[in-house]
Each structure stands twice: as C-alpha cells, then as structure tokens.
Amino acid sequence: MPASSDRTRTRILSAAERLFARSGLGSTSLRAIAREAGVSFALVSYHFGTREDLYRAIFERRYGPPSAERLARLASIDPGAPDGRALERIVAAFVEPVLKLRQQRGARHFATLLAREASDPEEARRGILERYVDPTAHAFMAALVRALPGLSAADVAWGYQFLVGALVLHLADTSRTTRLSRGAARSGDSEAVLARLVDFACGGLRALAAHSAPAASTAPPAARAPGPGPRPRRTTSRRPPA
C-alpha cells in the first residue's frame, strides 16, 4: 500500500476515534468522519467499508499493544511468590497498560472509547469486547485463581467485572474526582490512580476469596448419627414376704 494511502487511513482512523469517543458509534456518521479527517466520503468507504468496520479497525489498531504488554507482564509473574505480592502484580499488570493510554496524546481518545464500549448495552451484539478483550480477560481470571486458590468460578468473574468497572469509570473521568475531592485528588494523577486502584481491587478480591472458600470449612459440624438407644433397665422381681 503506498505511503500516501497509509497516511490517509491513519487520518481517517484518528478522526473516527475522536468522534466515536465524543459522541458514540450510533451518533457518528461516516460523512462526519470524512469532514473531520479532511477527506472525501468515498475515500472513507473505500478504506473501511461500513461504519461498524471502521469502528472495529480502531480496536484492531489500538488494543493490540496494551494487550500484548498485559500478557507479557502476566507471564513473568510467579503466583506463589514468597513475598505474598503476586496478586498486586497481577492486578497492576492488568490496569497499568490501559492507564497509560490516557497519558499518550495519540491514544487518550481510545481510552474514552474503550470505556464507552465496555459500558454500552449494545456491546454484546457488536462482539468487540468478546473478540479483542475477552481472551485477555480469561488469562487474567485464570491467574487470579492461581494467586487466590479459594476464589470460586463465580466470584472470579464478579471480581474481574468489579475491577473493570473501576478502571472504566476512571478512563471516562475527566475531572469529577478532582471536583468531588475539592482538589485533594487529581483525576490525571496516573501514579496515584494506579496505587489506589491496585490496593482497592486486591482488597476486594481477597474478600471474595474468603467469601467463596469451600463450604466444608465453614459448615457446622455434622450431627452424629443416632446410635442404639439406652439399654433397657434390668428389673428383678421381688418375692412377696412370707
């Protein structure tokens, strides 16, 4: 593909990313994207086809690098590390590569778009998360179970969703944390967010592991099986006095 064609694709992808992040998929037309990119509508259709295909191409372009970093960091973690910090490393490996997107000038719109997609009621129909995000999710859920063997299949899914919820809410946050804290916390302070989000998530995951520990460990002792009844009293017949 000629260099000029690559540059055109990149301009269209960047324009689409900005508009989708700002207004969502349903409210953004290909014509609006063409105007934002400074190209013709025909060029947008030529390179990407439909609006949904262009939307998927953004995830193809952006989600690969943080996903690869997540998995590489996960592979380096010893779940049985003697310092007992394996869980913290797993959670940090999951959240930090995505938090970095907010600090990258070219990718911060994608961080907002990812937050939009994760909370969109229509996401299951599109299958974006299922294709690009779920494989990484399953790898991290398996790692969480290795680090917290008491965690049940149900609670690891709940724990993962709660972690994603906190991460997505931060990705979508522009200044609300700053406003709510009256300036004591800054929404853009990525180091503070990372440290607190890891501690918050690990506390919750450990609580879930304790909650879903094998029922046998908390069940009341089984009642004893009834044994033979008391022996009948031996009675002796007395002779009447002579």
Side-chain angles (χ1 to χ4, degrees):
M1 187 179 289
S4 59
S5 186
D6 282 344
R7 286 195 296 271
T8 299
R9 279 180 61 88
T10 299
R11 282 170 60 191
I12 294 169
L13 283 167
S14 297
E17 193 172 273
R18 289 192 298 274
L19 294 186
F20 285 143
R22 186 186 309 156
S23 305
L25 175 63
S27 300
T28 304
S29 69
L30 287 182
R31 292 191 182 281
I33 293 167
R35 284 194 299 272
E36 179 80 6
V39 300
S40 68
F41 173 78
L43 265 179
V44 176
S45 298
Y46 169 76
H47 282 288
F48 295 102
T50 68
R51 181 177 59 175
E52 286 72 19
D53 289 337
L54 173 53
Y55 190 73
R56 287 188 180 86
I58 293 170
F59 281 83
E60 189 81 45
R61 172 200 190 197
R62 290 290 192 198
Y63 196 72
S67 180
E69 182 184 346
R70 278 173 157 179
L71 294 174
R73 288 178 59 169
L74 182 62
S76 70
I77 296 169
D78 175 9
D83 64 358
R85 300 280 296 173
L87 182 62
E88 282 76 7
R89 293 187 188 100
I90 291 168
V91 174
F94 181 77
V95 302
E96 190 171 14
V98 175
L99 289 178
K100 287 179 185 175
L101 292 173
R102 282 190 55 144
Q103 311 306 314
Q104 298 169 13
R105 184 177 178 186
R108 62 185 176 211
H109 294 295
F110 179 70
T112 304
L113 183 57
L114 182 59
R116 268 187 175 275
E117 183 64 16
S119 57
D120 190 329
E122 291 292 308
E123 70 83 10
R125 179 185 62 79
R126 288 190 289 272
I128 297 284
L129 297 187
E130 183 177 7
R131 177 173 178 181
Y132 296 102
V133 181
D134 284 5
T136 307
H138 287 300
F140 274 88
M141 288 166 68
L144 292 175
V145 172
R146 289 193 294 273
L148 292 171
L151 204 58
S152 70
D155 279 335
V156 73
W158 283 119
Y160 174 81
Q161 280 293 85
F162 296 154
L163 170 57
V164 169
L167 177 60
V168 163
L169 191 61
H170 171 67
L171 293 177
D173 182 19
T174 51
S175 61
R176 190 162 189 250
T177 302
T178 305
R179 187 172 73 248
L180 288 174
S181 68
R182 294 185 170 89
R186 291 185 297 110
S187 300
D189 187 345
S190 56
E191 289 184 12
V193 171
L194 176 64
R196 286 160 176 77
L197 183 51
V198 168
D199 285 347
F200 181 81
C202 290
L205 288 163
R206 287 191 173 103
L208 285 175
H211 174 268
S212 63
S217 63
T218 55
R224 288 185 180 179
R231 286 186 176 183
R233 230 170 167 184
R234 183 179 291 177
T235 57
T236 56
S237 58
R238 293 183 180 179
R239 289 184 179 182

